[in-house]
Amino acid sequence: MTQAHGGIRGWTADRKGVWSRLRLTSLRLRLVVVFALVALTAAVSASGIAYWLNREAVLTRTQDAVLRDFEQEMQNRAGALPANPSQDELQHTAGQMANSSQRFSVVLVAEDASGKTVYGNSGALNGFTVQDVPSSLRAAVSRRQPVTAANKYPYHLYWQRVTIHGSPCLVAGTKVIGGGPTGYMLKSLEPEAKDLNSLAWSLGIATGLGLVGSALLAQAAATTVLKPVQRLGVAARRLGEGRLDTRLRVSGTDELADLSRTFNNAAEALEKRVAEMAARDDASRRFVADMSHELRTPLTAITAVTEVLEDELEMGSGSVDPMIEPAVRLVVSETRRLNDLVENLMEVTRFDAGTARLVVDDVDVVDQLTACIDARAWLDAVDLDAERGIHARLDPRRLDVIMANLIGNALKHGGSPVRVAVRNTADAVVIEVRDHGPGIPEDVLPHVFDRFYKASASRPRSEGSGLGLSIALENAHIHGGEITAANSAEGGAVFTLRLPQDSSPLTEDADDAEDGDGGKAEGDA
């Protein structure tokens, strides 16, 4: 059964391959059709001309032989009759004339001694009579013409091709010069017609064979011409897929070879340019990573000192001079901000390097959101609209980072109360964060997730680093999810987080789990 299915699939694939090569818009089919049309036109024209020439040659040859024989018989036999022959004499002479080499039928017309018109018929071809002769031909034969220097005889031989009883025939007539009977001749052209029909069939068969041959030649020519084009298309697709080392084999000096060389040159230049950009990008990422790591050690010491100073300020023991207290608070605040920036830069570096990993666990989404809000003392400012019991396999730490950034951004720029709604779909968990602020300007919406982007040029400096929403989006992407930003019709901005219910269960490296916290909560949109 499996082999049968495999055979059916193979046959179907072959059919699809043939149809793909001969689809109506393909260059191959157009070439074959053009070749076939040109060949058909040439073959039909050549066959038509050949048939016409052969037809005229055959009919003219037969016609000349018959007319020459008839004219000779009229001179030799009909001219030997008396001026007023009897019907028997006409009948006998007509029979003799019909026995000539051309085997035609004869009718002789004359006047006997009493002035009565008498007829002599050879009796062939269903009884050939004068009534079978066209009236125009009889009138031309009987018409006496004046004898001049240009016209030596008063009567001439006339002929006409007619169809009698469905058969093509040659009819001719003349009058004996010097007085004598008028003779009419009927010759069947049926044998010649059969020969011409055979010729027509032969030419038709030759035209069909020529058409088939031209189609085969067109197919071969199309294959020869289009094979380099197909190779170029395959190479272009590979290049588009990122295989920048793709090259074409160049042979010959024609236009297709020049096109292949141009493609190779373009691919080589593109590969070199991409390599240079990748090297610069790697150097930039290494610089950021190295700088972040180098800053962590002095930042740790500075943070410890600022925490001591902050404790002194909070205790109010008077050990800190009131004159420098504002400066101390500024140092504490900026140190905390610098520490968050370094942590965020390290997380961005991990995302760019592709080393960020998920630590997936079965998470109660509502409990996780409640813990995130409670840990940051946002319970009074956030309205959580969700039913418990919504579970998903997610990285709880990264979900906390995402929600902290989205809710913090809404509180900072949109104002409270912030409404967080959670709903469960067939294959995803959807979380909406909506504020009641003025919303996001339309020209800012496409850039809210850009790194270091500030929505207002009038506030280029804020408490955040400009990386919060970008890190939130990267954490959503690593889950296989997405975050979108929009403005609500009722006012305010709406951020929608969509995460799959079961993310890929990849284990995070020990170093990443220890060093990276998935970013800090910010709000810099």
Side-chain angles (χ1 to χ4, degrees):
M1 191 66 178
T2 303
Q3 293 179 353
H5 283 300
I8 293 174
R9 285 196 297 268
W11 177 77
T12 304
D14 292 341
R15 285 193 62 189
K16 288 182 178 178
V18 171
W19 282 112
S20 64
R21 291 193 298 269
L22 294 179
R23 59 186 184 274
L24 294 179
T25 58
S26 68
L27 184 59
R28 179 187 298 273
L29 182 58
R30 282 182 283 175
L31 285 174
V32 172
V33 170
V34 170
F35 265 82
L37 289 177
V38 172
L40 180 62
T41 303
V44 169
S45 301
S47 299
I49 293 173
Y51 177 79
W52 182 78
L53 292 176
N54 279 275
R55 177 179 180 275
E56 290 301 316
V58 169
L59 294 179
T60 300
R61 183 173 62 252
T62 301
Q63 174 182 293
D64 290 346
V66 171
L67 294 179
R68 186 168 51 250
D69 194 21
F70 174 64
E71 187 176 17
Q72 185 177 1
E73 290 293 327
M74 285 293 294
Q75 292 176 358
N76 295 338
R77 296 188 183 278
L81 290 172
N84 299 107
S86 64
Q87 183 175 4
D88 293 337
E89 290 174 330
L90 289 177
Q91 192 80 18
H92 177 70
T93 302
Q96 290 180 331
M97 294 175 63
N99 290 327
S100 67
S101 60
Q102 295 299 324
R103 312 297 297 177
F104 43 72
S105 299
V106 177
V107 173
L108 296 177
V109 182
E111 292 184 356
D112 59 7
S114 62
K116 179 182 177 182
T117 302
V118 294
Y119 301 91
N121 192 326
S122 62
L125 285 178
N126 298 323
F128 175 51
T129 64
V130 176
Q131 284 71 27
D132 294 327
V133 180
S135 58
S136 59
L137 181 61
R138 282 181 285 167
V141 171
S142 301
R143 184 181 305 114
R144 182 181 178 88
Q145 299 181 9
V147 178
T148 62
N151 182 32
K152 297 181 180 181
Y153 305 104
Y155 299 102
H156 294 274
L157 175 66
Y158 295 93
W159 59 270
Q160 186 176 347
R161 294 173 189 166
V162 297
T163 301
I164 299 178
H165 306 301
S167 298
C169 299
L170 175 66
V171 178
T174 188
K175 192 177 180 81
V176 176
I177 300 174
T182 301
Y184 297 99
M185 177 274 301
L186 177 68
K187 171 65 177 178
S188 174
L189 299 178
E190 188 70 25
E192 287 74 14
K194 292 181 179 180
D195 292 341
L196 291 175
N197 287 336
S198 299
L199 176 62
W201 275 104
S202 299
L203 293 175
I205 294 173
T207 300
L209 293 176
L211 182 61
V212 173
S214 66
L216 295 177
L217 289 176
Q219 175 71 10
T223 301
T224 303
V225 173
L226 295 180
K227 187 174 292 184
V229 178
Q230 292 173 347
R231 287 200 297 265
L232 180 61
V234 172
R237 283 192 294 272
R238 291 178 179 174
L239 196 65
E241 293 170 356
R243 300 170 62 178
L244 301 181
D245 58 343
T246 302
R247 298 293 184 272
L248 290 173
R249 180 173 56 86
V250 181
S251 60
T253 58
D254 56 4
E255 290 80 0
L256 292 175
D258 292 338
L259 181 60
S260 299
R261 293 189 188 92
T262 303
F263 175 85
N264 289 341
N265 294 334
E268 183 178 359
L270 179 62
E271 184 181 19
K272 185 181 297 183
R273 184 64 180 270
V274 170
E276 293 174 355
M277 294 177 63
R280 288 197 295 267
D281 192 43
D282 291 340
S284 299
R285 283 200 297 266
R286 284 196 302 271
F287 172 76
V288 174
D290 293 343
M291 180 188 67
S292 301
H293 279 285
E294 292 297 329
L295 286 175
R296 292 191 71 181
T297 300
L299 271 177
T300 302
I302 294 174
T303 301
V305 173
T306 56
E307 288 177 353
V308 172
L309 292 175
E310 188 177 18
D311 291 341
E312 292 292 335
L313 290 174
E314 295 297 333
M315 290 173 59
S317 59
S319 60
V320 179
D321 190 341
M323 297 294 294
I324 64 172
E325 181 178 341
V328 172
R329 293 187 180 278
L330 179 62
V331 169
V332 171
S333 174
E334 292 300 318
T335 300
R336 185 179 295 111
R337 181 174 179 273
L338 180 60
N339 189 63
D340 292 344
L341 175 60
V342 170
E343 294 294 339
N344 286 335
L345 286 175
M346 293 182 63
E347 182 66 13
V348 168
T349 303
R350 279 190 286 271
F351 281 123
D352 290 342
T355 59
R357 296 292 183 268
L358 289 177
V359 180
V360 177
D361 195 4
D362 190 4
V363 176
D364 187 314
V365 178
V366 178
D367 288 347
Q368 184 69 29
L369 292 180
T370 303
C372 173
I373 297 171
D374 183 46
R376 291 161 179 83
W378 289 339
L379 288 175
D380 295 336
V382 177
D383 180 15
L384 181 59
D385 180 14
E387 295 182 0
R388 296 188 178 275
I390 299 177
H391 291 266
R393 289 187 56 78
L394 305 169
D395 187 331
R397 178 175 60 84
R398 295 188 183 276
L399 177 60
D400 180 80
V401 171
I402 295 173
M403 296 311 302
N405 278 289
L406 294 181
I407 298 175
N409 187 77
L411 289 172
K412 184 179 298 182
H413 302 293
S416 60
V418 172
R419 183 175 182 273
V420 179
V422 183
R423 70 177 186 272
N424 201 11
T425 64
D427 57 353
V429 175
V430 180
I431 304 174
E432 290 185 355
V433 179
R434 177 188 168 192
D435 60 47
H436 290 77
I440 304 173
E442 294 297 329
D443 59 333
V444 175
L445 273 175
H447 306 287
V448 292
F449 296 105
D450 293 350
R451 295 174 183 175
F452 300 107
Y453 184 78
K454 304 290 183 179
S456 175
S458 62
R459 55 177 187 89
R461 178 175 179 81
S462 66
E463 294 180 3
S465 64
L467 295 173
L469 291 180
S470 174
I471 292 176
L473 182 63
E474 293 292 347
N475 278 305
H477 286 170
I478 200 173
H479 280 89
E482 185 61 66
I483 304 177
T484 58
N487 288 316
S488 173
E490 301 175 359
V494 179
F495 286 83
T496 303
L497 170 65
R498 180 182 294 272
L499 296 176
Q501 291 185 349
D502 189 359
S503 300
S504 300
L506 298 177
T507 302
E508 188 173 15
D509 294 340
D511 292 340
D512 290 337
E514 179 182 352
D515 294 338
D517 64 352
K520 295 295 183 179
E522 299 184 5
D524 294 309

